Amino acid sequence: RGGPDKYCSAGFVQINAGMTVKLDFEECLKDSPRFRAEIEVVQTDVSELETRLEKVRLLSTYTQLSDVSGQVPFK
């Protein structure tokens, strides 16, 4: 883990999926149990988003493969 410092500078975390997570700056500086719990929730949400993204990538690959296999002439 990189520690809480990377979260303290802005007071929020911008996640690539367009999701903005607001974190309490003062709790961040204190490195309080509440802040740690908030970070844990954010990490869980990010993991779920990564899992969903992987599923979308797999479905996209399957779709592309089925399109290509339909274009290959059989001999």
Side-chain angles (χ1 to χ4, degrees):
R1 288 188 166 171
D5 295 339
K6 63 183 176 180
Y7 299 104
C8 291
S9 61
F12 65 91
V13 178
Q14 180 71 39
I15 298 173
N16 289 338
M19 184 173 81
T20 300
V21 178
K22 296 185 188 255
L23 299 171
D24 187 342
F25 184 73
E26 289 181 23
E27 295 296 319
C28 176
L29 292 176
K30 294 178 196 173
D31 195 20
S32 69
R34 178 179 164 196
F35 176 75
R36 296 244 175 192
E38 289 174 355
I39 292 296
E40 191 69 33
V41 169
V42 170
Q43 288 175 333
T44 300
D45 290 346
V46 169
S47 293
E48 289 175 13
L49 285 172
E50 288 174 340
T51 300
R52 289 180 184 179
L53 179 59
E54 185 60 31
K55 288 179 182 178
V56 168
R57 287 180 180 157
L58 285 172
L59 288 172
S60 176
T61 301
Y62 292 147
T63 302
Q64 290 173 358
L65 289 174
S66 68
D67 289 346
V68 169
S69 67
Q71 297 173 2
V72 176
F74 293 99
K75 292 185 180 184

